Amino acid sequence: MTYQIVDKVNGRIEQSVETLRMLRDSAILFESPQVESFLERKKSFAGYDDLRLFSTPEEAKVWLEEAYPGVYMDTEMALKGETQLLFAPDQDAMIYCVSDTSDEDLAVIIGIKTQETLKKLLNNECFNGQGTSFAVTRDGQTITTPGRMDLYQELRELQTGHTSEKNMALVEQMEADVNAGKSGTMLFEDIGAKGVMICYEPLDYSGWYIITIIPANIISMGTESLSNYNLFLTAIVIFLLFVSMLGLTISHQKNQKKLSQLAFCDELTGGMNDTSFRMTAQHYMKEQEGQYVLVSMDIQDFKMINQVYGTQEGNRTLRYVYRTLLSQLRSDEPMARNCGDVFFFLLKNRDKTMICTRLLKIYEAVNKFNQELKEPYYLELYFGIYQPESGDEPLADMQEKANIARKHKKGDDRYRYNFYDEEVQKRNIREKELMGMVDYSLRNGDFLIYLQPKVQLENNRVAGAEALIRWKHPELGMLSPVMFIPPAERYRLISKLDLFVFEEVCRTLARWKAEGRELLPISVNLSRQNMDTPNFLDDYRKLCKKYDVNPNLIEFELTETILFEDPQGIKCFIDEMHASGFQCSLDDFGTGFSALGLLNDLDVDAIKLDQSFFRGKNDTRRGRYIVESILRLAAQLHIRTVAEGIDELRQVEYLRQAACDMIQGFYFFKPMPVEEFEAAAYEDQHLRTLAPPQQDAGNGENQELSAAWNPSTEKISFCFPIFWMRIKWCFPFRFLPF
């Protein structure tokens, strides 16, 4: 009976958790003002009294401690994507804390509901209403009883008579089992009329347990009734003793089978449940250590099947997948459905190539039904594979690692798989911990901006700058951007950093204006993720207004690669930038295959030639032909040009002769804090003019560089056939100096 109650409660909790995950995945796509109204609309539909979304586990923990004193949320568990179920006794509230690791977002959603739902699940007719069930925490504190009490203390106080010493030992054993996460059954004598039987079984969340108390005489009454009935039958049909004994044997076997099904079978599929699978799989792994891998599998967007076609169709799909899996596995490869659409199974093979081949066959077998359909619907499968080092490792730990691998899936479009990697997991945890500090460091002033001047080649005067972000981590010290920019993009935090840099630039320009300094345009990077938020430019316009900064002094740098994703959308966005007064430039220009076509399609103010044009195999006569052609075309289109990554004098002189407008690089200036920039770029409140670069006499290298293009003797011709074809396609002939 306790097994059934636990399965029912676990199922209901899992359903609530999945609902929260769906709400979280939707809510993180909204801006803050929209999140609250979205959750307010959804809370009654989802069955919660209150819903809250927090950007980091730390924020969720602080709110919980204020709203529910004494309730503690483990931030480490949240960073690992583990669900936490908490209880606030004073408010009679159950608190669900749900995060995720699959989408690389740190957001935590918290759902609050009363414990009435759990009480209703436990209010079943246990042994004709004469038994009772309730939930307790691991330390024995009751959850669903009127008034909170300590179960272990109550049992100790009830011990009387000559059996009390024995019963006290049972209490100690029960407490030890619960602390160790074990299940069990204890018979306590001298409690009640003829003692009670207490069954305890763990839930899947937060170490909670379901306790069932059954009067011992109820069990004995059933046994006595059965014995009397058998004696009566034996007396009446003595001459059919053999037949009767055979019938009793069959009946006993049926009862045993029914009990076994309740304890070890999955009601939906008819196969092993998770308890049985753990026992069987652990046995195989111990007996044949080093020969098996554990696989976790689920179906992408399975909840949509339930929502669109109904639960019955969803259950039919799960039974179909179970039968198909069974047909693809050998007799010594156990398999079971865990919960929802998650399946676990063993594969008797350690070779990664063979494992992937078998998983592909499983995918093809599951989707074989599409062969007869005019409009196929494929069940996309995700697999996580864990290769245990030892068969003694607890299977629950193995399942958790296989689940982690599944949530970080990769592979082709048909089926996706991932092998668990301990080092990758440690790195992911470290990276997630680092990203968990972003909001704190933004509030604490740990992020800084550095400025790198741009020099006008016509007169060697400082004429602009680029703002770059740096992180002075409170524990790790100054971090290189490569350590936090890519993770910030993956965790969708980069837009916060973009906005921080923009505000710091506005604050700096406002201060310079107040000090009477000559102002210069500053470029800031704008990531692709900003454009996923409608009207995000409103925040930037408000900051310009707040600091009274002319938008024309700020230039947004867009990387060339993002322009290929939605050219028409980006074109409209650039038009909106210009309408707001901002300038726009293309960063890393030339890295894309059809770069020159963008100049014809997009109304940009400047292009930044990627440093790869001036280094390595591209630093040749052919490469210089291309650079000079781009510079000439940009000039005809009235687009400013900036060459970045310039470190050598010969590059400076070549770009001066090739009519590049500005350069940015270590030859003149490295990125520097704002205070150093003010000292280096200004002289008496005016922008500094630098001394001309010194050349070595008789150096013929520059003559060779300048010979790349002579307008009086040569036409522009490209040595790269594909590049030349794209220029002819992108530009009318009138743009070319033939």
Side-chain angles (χ1 to χ4, degrees):
M1 180 63 72
T2 309
Y3 281 112
Q4 293 174 302
I5 297 172
V6 168
D7 286 344
K8 187 183 295 184
V9 173
N10 277 332
R12 182 62 62 87
I13 293 175
E14 180 66 26
Q15 184 179 8
S16 298
V17 170
E18 284 301 317
T19 300
L20 280 179
R21 283 202 179 100
M22 291 171 59
L23 292 174
R24 172 190 173 277
D25 293 345
S26 300
I28 60 178
L29 302 177
F30 294 99
E31 289 298 307
S32 296
Q34 299 170 311
V35 170
E36 293 183 11
S37 59
F38 170 75
L39 295 179
E40 184 67 25
R41 295 195 306 271
K42 295 295 183 181
K43 70 179 184 181
S44 59
F45 167 78
Y48 286 92
D49 299 321
D50 192 12
L51 290 172
R52 303 276 180 149
L53 184 73
F54 300 93
S55 58
T56 65
E58 284 293 338
E59 289 184 11
K61 180 182 178 182
V62 170
W63 180 83
L64 272 177
E65 290 175 349
E66 293 177 355
Y68 298 93
V71 175
Y72 172 78
M73 189 191 82
D74 190 333
T75 55
E76 292 297 324
M77 290 179 64
L79 288 171
K80 295 177 183 177
E82 298 178 11
T83 297
Q84 298 177 62
L85 190 58
L86 310 174
F87 177 60
D90 295 337
Q91 293 88 347
D92 194 30
M94 291 176 61
I95 304 168
Y96 292 76
C97 305
V98 176
S99 57
D100 203 349
T101 56
S102 61
D103 58 10
E104 299 181 335
D105 195 293
L106 297 171
V108 177
I109 189 168
I110 290 180
I112 311 293
K113 60 171 64 177
T114 65
Q115 55 175 308
E116 288 303 316
T117 303
L118 183 57
K119 286 181 180 179
K120 289 177 182 178
L121 287 174
L122 298 175
N123 188 22
N124 59 83
E125 294 297 319
C126 178
F127 285 87
N128 297 322
Q130 298 187 59
T132 183
S133 295
F134 52 89
V136 300
T137 60
R138 180 164 286 179
D139 60 1
Q141 300 298 315
T142 59
I143 297 172
T144 56
T145 58
R148 197 167 187 187
M149 65 178 186
D150 187 326
L151 175 65
Y152 306 132
Q153 186 62 30
E154 291 291 328
L155 288 174
R156 291 187 181 99
E157 292 176 359
L158 288 172
Q159 306 309 320
T160 60
H162 66 279
T163 58
S164 62
E165 185 176 342
K166 176 183 175 182
N167 287 351
M168 289 291 283
L170 292 177
V171 174
E172 299 297 330
Q173 181 61 47
M174 177 181 172
E175 186 173 3
D177 287 349
V178 171
N179 285 328
K182 299 178 180 179
S183 58
T185 302
M186 299 289 184
L187 178 60
F188 290 85
E189 300 177 5
D190 289 348
I191 297 181
K194 292 188 177 181
V196 296
M197 180 175 289
I198 299 180
C199 304
Y200 46 96
E201 186 73 22
L203 292 173
D204 291 341
Y205 296 89
S206 299
W208 288 10
Y209 265 73
I210 297 298
I211 306 294
T212 302
I213 300 179
I214 309 159
N217 63 324
I218 300 300
I219 300 172
S220 62
M221 283 172 60
T223 307
E224 291 169 4
S225 298
L226 181 61
S227 300
N228 292 335
Y229 179 67
N230 289 339
L231 288 173
F232 177 73
L233 285 180
T234 303
I236 297 298
V237 291
I238 191 66
F239 61 93
L240 297 175
L241 179 60
F242 176 75
V243 178
S244 297
M245 292 300 296
L246 181 61
L248 288 173
T249 302
I250 294 172
S251 176
H252 176 72
Q253 290 176 344
K254 287 182 178 180
N255 288 335
Q256 286 292 103
K257 184 177 180 181
K258 187 174 182 180
L259 288 172
S260 178
Q261 286 178 337
L262 290 173
F264 301 111
C265 291
D266 178 16
E267 292 182 6
L268 180 63
T269 64
M272 283 191 289
N273 64 9
D274 191 56
T275 301
S276 179
F277 173 77
R278 290 184 184 187
M279 296 169 58
T280 306
Q282 193 86 64
H283 170 75
Y284 276 114
M285 288 190 168
K286 284 184 178 180
E287 291 293 319
Q288 303 180 58
E289 188 169 312
Q291 297 189 35
Y292 285 96
V293 296
L294 176 66
V295 181
S296 170
M297 184 199 85
D298 74 346
I299 304 168
Q300 182 186 13
D301 296 329
F302 175 76
K303 56 182 174 286
M304 296 298 296
I305 297 176
N306 282 333
Q307 293 173 356
V308 176
Y309 301 104
T311 305
Q312 289 187 350
E313 188 64 25
N315 290 342
R316 192 173 73 86
T317 302
L318 291 175
R319 285 191 286 268
Y320 163 75
V321 171
Y322 173 82
R323 292 193 301 271
T324 306
L325 276 175
L326 205 60
S327 68
Q328 296 296 309
L329 299 174
R330 300 199 294 257
S331 59
D332 56 351
E333 295 175 331
M335 179 269 296
R337 184 181 73 97
N338 177 258
C339 63
D341 61 320
V342 178
F343 292 82
F344 285 106
F345 54 89
L346 297 184
L347 289 181
K348 194 174 183 180
N349 201 309
R350 302 279 288 193
D351 181 76
K352 289 188 176 182
T353 302
M354 292 299 298
I355 292 170
C356 293
T357 300
R358 290 196 64 186
L359 296 181
L360 177 59
K361 288 182 179 178
I362 288 173
Y363 168 84
E364 292 172 342
V366 167
N367 285 284
K368 193 174 182 180
F369 67 89
N370 283 299
Q371 293 177 354
E372 301 175 1
L373 298 180
K374 292 182 180 179
E375 296 181 2
Y377 177 85
Y378 289 93
L379 296 175
E380 306 299 340
L381 306 180
Y382 290 165
F383 300 93
I385 307 104
Y386 175 60
Q387 299 173 294
E389 297 295 330
S390 169
D392 292 327
E393 184 177 356
L395 200 86
D397 293 348
M398 299 186 199
Q399 288 177 311
E400 178 65 22
K401 292 175 181 178
N403 280 336
I404 290 172
R406 171 172 52 81
K407 292 176 181 179
H408 290 84
K409 56 248 174 203
K410 57 186 177 181
D412 61 29
D413 293 335
R414 295 173 297 172
Y415 78 108
R416 299 185 180 185
Y417 62 89
N418 187 31
F419 287 85
Y420 179 84
D421 187 316
E422 188 71 33
E423 290 305 315
V424 170
Q425 178 61 11
K426 289 179 181 177
R427 186 166 64 249
N428 289 339
I429 292 173
R430 289 195 299 268
E431 187 177 276
K432 194 159 191 174
E433 290 173 348
L434 183 65
M435 291 299 100
M437 288 287 291
V438 167
D439 286 333
Y440 170 81
S441 285
L442 283 171
R443 294 192 303 268
N444 200 46
D446 297 330
F447 283 100
L448 312 168
I449 64 165
Y450 275 39
L451 298 176
Q452 185 173 27
K454 300 175 186 177
V455 177
Q456 188 89 28
L457 283 177
E458 182 181 12
N459 52 18
N460 278 3
R461 192 167 187 263
V462 175
E466 179 181 3
L468 304 165
I469 191 168
R470 297 292 186 265
W471 188 358
K472 191 174 182 180
H473 194 280
E475 298 174 1
L476 304 177
M478 190 66 76
L479 298 181
S480 166
V482 75
M483 293 182 64
F484 64 89
I485 294 296
E489 291 175 340
R490 290 193 291 274
Y491 282 84
R492 302 190 67 81
L493 295 171
I494 192 68
S495 56
K496 291 185 179 181
L497 300 183
D498 288 347
L499 193 62
F500 164 80
V501 171
F502 183 89
E503 182 167 10
E504 289 299 305
V505 167
C506 287
R507 183 181 286 113
T508 301
L509 287 171
R511 179 170 59 82
W512 289 348
K513 180 180 178 182
E515 293 172 353
R517 292 179 186 270
E518 181 181 357
L519 301 182
L520 76 170
I522 299 179
S523 59
V524 296
N525 290 285
L526 198 64
S527 69
R528 173 69 179 84
Q529 288 175 17
N530 288 284
M531 298 168 206
D532 294 335
T533 304
N535 303 318
F536 83 93
L537 267 181
D538 290 347
D539 293 333
Y540 289 80
R541 284 189 284 259
K542 289 176 183 176
L543 287 172
C544 279
K545 186 175 181 180
K546 174 182 176 181
Y547 291 98
D548 191 23
V549 170
N550 187 345
N552 195 52
L553 287 171
I554 298 179
E555 178 181 277
F556 287 116
E557 289 190 7
L558 304 178
T559 57
E560 184 192 83
T561 52
I562 72 171
L563 305 177
F564 303 136
E565 299 176 13
D566 181 15
Q568 189 58 38
I570 298 298
K571 184 178 185 298
C572 294
F573 172 66
I574 292 175
D575 292 341
E576 184 182 357
M577 276 188 197
H578 286 145
S580 300
F582 298 110
Q583 299 189 60
C584 177
S585 66
L586 296 186
D587 195 11
D588 302 330
F589 186 82
T591 56
F593 189 59
S594 23
L596 288 178
L598 298 171
L599 298 183
N600 194 39
D601 295 333
L602 302 176
D603 182 21
V604 296
D605 303 289
I607 59 174
K608 295 186 71 173
L609 295 179
D610 187 68
Q611 58 185 333
S612 61
F613 275 118
F614 314 107
R615 296 181 179 179
K617 63 181 181 181
N618 291 326
D619 189 14
T620 61
R621 180 177 292 273
R622 289 184 176 185
R624 291 189 286 275
Y625 280 142
I626 296 173
V627 170
E628 292 162 7
S629 301
I630 293 173
L631 294 173
R632 188 176 181 83
L633 287 171
Q636 290 180 324
L637 294 172
H638 305 290
I639 297 173
R640 296 191 309 275
T641 52
V642 182
E644 60 181 338
I646 304 305
D647 302 335
E648 301 177 19
L649 174 61
R650 67 185 187 88
Q651 295 171 336
V652 174
E653 291 305 317
Y654 162 64
L655 288 166
R656 190 192 308 277
Q657 295 169 19
C660 181
D661 294 319
M662 288 188 285
I663 64 171
Q664 176 184 342
F666 278 32
Y667 180 78
F668 284 116
F669 297 103
K670 65 179 180 179
M672 61 190 74
V674 175
E675 295 78 8
E676 291 183 21
F677 176 88
E678 292 171 352
Y682 282 96
E683 185 174 9
D684 296 330
Q685 305 293 81
H686 295 285
L687 292 171
R688 186 187 297 273
T689 298
L690 308 178
Q694 298 298 317
Q695 302 184 46
D696 293 333
N699 190 342
E701 186 177 31
N702 290 325
Q703 284 84 3
E704 179 187 352
L705 293 173
S706 62
W709 177 71
N710 186 334
S712 64
T713 59
E714 292 191 33
K715 299 177 183 178
I716 297 178
S717 59
F718 294 96
C719 298
F720 299 138
I722 295 178
F723 202 81
W724 167 232
M725 290 167 61
R726 290 200 173 264
I727 291 179
K728 290 181 67 179
W729 176 73
C730 294
F731 291 92
F733 285 109
R734 62 186 175 88
F735 286 145
L736 299 177
F738 287 122

Short mmCIF file of all heavy atoms in Angstrom, two decimals, residues 173-195:
data_model
loop_
_atom_site.label_atom_id
_atom_site.label_comp_id
_atom_site.label_asym_id
_atom_site.label_seq_id
_atom_site.Cartn_x
_atom_site.Cartn_y
_atom_site.Cartn_z
N GLN A 173 16.47 2.05 14.73
CA GLN A 173 16.73 1.47 13.41
C GLN A 173 15.98 2.22 12.32
O GLN A 173 16.50 2.50 11.23
CB GLN A 173 16.31 -0.01 13.40
CG GLN A 173 16.58 -0.72 12.07
CD GLN A 173 18.05 -0.74 11.70
OE1 GLN A 173 18.89 -1.05 12.53
NE2 GLN A 173 18.36 -0.36 10.46
N MET A 174 14.72 2.54 12.62
CA MET A 174 13.91 3.28 11.66
C MET A 174 14.52 4.65 11.36
O MET A 174 14.61 5.07 10.20
CB MET A 174 12.49 3.45 12.21
CG MET A 174 11.57 4.26 11.33
SD MET A 174 9.95 4.42 12.10
CE MET A 174 9.17 5.59 11.00
N GLU A 175 14.99 5.34 12.39
CA GLU A 175 15.60 6.66 12.20
C GLU A 175 16.87 6.54 11.36
O GLU A 175 17.13 7.37 10.49
CB GLU A 175 15.91 7.28 13.56
CG GLU A 175 16.41 8.71 13.48
CD GLU A 175 16.56 9.36 14.85
OE1 GLU A 175 16.31 8.66 15.87
OE2 GLU A 175 16.89 10.55 14.89
N ALA A 176 17.66 5.49 11.62
CA ALA A 176 18.89 5.28 10.85
C ALA A 176 18.56 4.99 9.39
O ALA A 176 19.23 5.49 8.47
CB ALA A 176 19.71 4.14 11.46
N ASP A 177 17.52 4.16 9.14
CA ASP A 177 17.12 3.84 7.77
C ASP A 177 16.69 5.10 7.02
O ASP A 177 17.06 5.31 5.86
CB ASP A 177 15.97 2.82 7.78
CG ASP A 177 16.43 1.42 8.16
OD1 ASP A 177 17.67 1.20 8.21
OD2 ASP A 177 15.58 0.56 8.40
N VAL A 178 15.89 5.92 7.66
CA VAL A 178 15.40 7.14 7.01
C VAL A 178 16.56 8.08 6.68
O VAL A 178 16.63 8.67 5.60
CB VAL A 178 14.34 7.84 7.89
CG1 VAL A 178 14.00 9.22 7.32
CG2 VAL A 178 13.08 6.99 7.99
N ASN A 179 17.50 8.23 7.60
CA ASN A 179 18.66 9.10 7.35
C ASN A 179 19.50 8.57 6.20
O ASN A 179 20.16 9.35 5.50
CB ASN A 179 19.52 9.22 8.61
CG ASN A 179 18.89 10.13 9.65
OD1 ASN A 179 18.21 11.09 9.30
ND2 ASN A 179 19.11 9.85 10.92
N ALA A 180 19.48 7.23 6.02
CA ALA A 180 20.26 6.62 4.94
C ALA A 180 19.47 6.52 3.65
O ALA A 180 19.98 6.01 2.65
CB ALA A 180 20.73 5.23 5.38
N GLY A 181 18.20 6.97 3.65
CA GLY A 181 17.39 6.92 2.44
C GLY A 181 16.82 5.54 2.14
O GLY A 181 16.46 5.26 1.00
N LYS A 182 16.72 4.67 3.16
CA LYS A 182 16.22 3.31 2.95
C LYS A 182 14.73 3.24 3.29
O LYS A 182 14.19 4.06 4.02
CB LYS A 182 16.99 2.33 3.83
CG LYS A 182 18.49 2.25 3.53
CD LYS A 182 19.17 1.27 4.48
CE LYS A 182 20.67 1.18 4.21
NZ LYS A 182 21.33 0.24 5.15
N SER A 183 14.07 2.21 2.76
CA SER A 183 12.68 1.94 3.10
C SER A 183 12.64 0.74 4.05
O SER A 183 13.62 0.02 4.21
CB SER A 183 11.86 1.65 1.84
OG SER A 183 12.43 0.56 1.14
N GLY A 184 11.48 0.53 4.68
CA GLY A 184 11.38 -0.60 5.60
C GLY A 184 10.02 -0.71 6.25
O GLY A 184 9.13 0.12 6.05
N THR A 185 9.87 -1.76 7.06
CA THR A 185 8.63 -2.02 7.80
C THR A 185 9.00 -2.46 9.21
O THR A 185 9.88 -3.31 9.40
CB THR A 185 7.79 -3.11 7.12
OG1 THR A 185 7.49 -2.69 5.78
CG2 THR A 185 6.49 -3.34 7.88
N MET A 186 8.35 -1.90 10.22
CA MET A 186 8.62 -2.23 11.62
C MET A 186 7.31 -2.58 12.33
O MET A 186 6.28 -1.93 12.10
CB MET A 186 9.27 -1.03 12.34
CG MET A 186 10.60 -0.59 11.76
SD MET A 186 11.90 -1.78 12.12
CE MET A 186 13.33 -0.92 11.44
N LEU A 187 7.35 -3.62 13.19
CA LEU A 187 6.20 -4.00 14.02
C LEU A 187 6.48 -3.56 15.45
O LEU A 187 7.41 -4.05 16.10
CB LEU A 187 5.95 -5.51 13.96
CG LEU A 187 4.80 -6.02 14.85
CD1 LEU A 187 3.47 -5.38 14.43
CD2 LEU A 187 4.71 -7.55 14.78
N PHE A 188 5.70 -2.61 15.95
CA PHE A 188 5.85 -2.09 17.30
C PHE A 188 4.77 -2.72 18.20
O PHE A 188 3.57 -2.49 17.99
CB PHE A 188 5.72 -0.57 17.31
CG PHE A 188 6.86 0.15 16.66
CD1 PHE A 188 6.89 0.36 15.29
CD2 PHE A 188 7.92 0.60 17.43
CE1 PHE A 188 7.94 1.01 14.70
CE2 PHE A 188 8.98 1.27 16.84
CZ PHE A 188 8.99 1.47 15.47
N GLU A 189 5.21 -3.51 19.15
CA GLU A 189 4.28 -4.14 20.09
C GLU A 189 3.92 -3.18 21.22
O GLU A 189 4.63 -2.22 21.49
CB GLU A 189 4.91 -5.41 20.66
CG GLU A 189 5.27 -6.44 19.58
CD GLU A 189 5.96 -7.66 20.16
OE1 GLU A 189 6.08 -7.75 21.40
OE2 GLU A 189 6.39 -8.51 19.36
N ASP A 190 2.80 -3.45 21.89
CA ASP A 190 2.34 -2.66 23.05
C ASP A 190 2.00 -1.21 22.69
O ASP A 190 2.00 -0.33 23.53
CB ASP A 190 3.39 -2.66 24.17
CG ASP A 190 3.49 -4.03 24.83
OD1 ASP A 190 2.60 -4.86 24.56
OD2 ASP A 190 4.44 -4.24 25.58
N ILE A 191 1.75 -0.94 21.40
CA ILE A 191 1.20 0.35 21.00
C ILE A 191 -0.20 0.07 20.48
O ILE A 191 -0.37 -0.67 19.51
CB ILE A 191 2.05 1.04 19.92
CG1 ILE A 191 3.45 1.35 20.46
CG2 ILE A 191 1.38 2.32 19.44
CD1 ILE A 191 4.34 2.04 19.46
N GLY A 192 -1.21 0.63 21.11
CA GLY A 192 -2.58 0.29 20.74
C GLY A 192 -2.97 -1.04 21.34
O GLY A 192 -2.37 -1.56 22.29
N ALA A 193 -4.03 -1.65 20.78
CA ALA A 193 -4.55 -2.91 21.32
C ALA A 193 -3.56 -4.06 21.14
O ALA A 193 -3.24 -4.77 22.09
CB ALA A 193 -5.88 -3.25 20.64
N LYS A 194 -3.09 -4.25 19.92
CA LYS A 194 -2.17 -5.37 19.66
C LYS A 194 -0.93 -4.91 18.90
O LYS A 194 -0.34 -5.68 18.17
CB LYS A 194 -2.90 -6.46 18.87
CG LYS A 194 -3.99 -7.16 19.66
CD LYS A 194 -4.53 -8.35 18.89
CE LYS A 194 -5.58 -9.12 19.69
NZ LYS A 194 -6.11 -10.29 18.98
N GLY A 195 -0.58 -3.64 19.07
CA GLY A 195 0.60 -3.13 18.39
C GLY A 195 0.25 -2.55 17.02
O GLY A 195 -0.89 -2.65 16.55
#
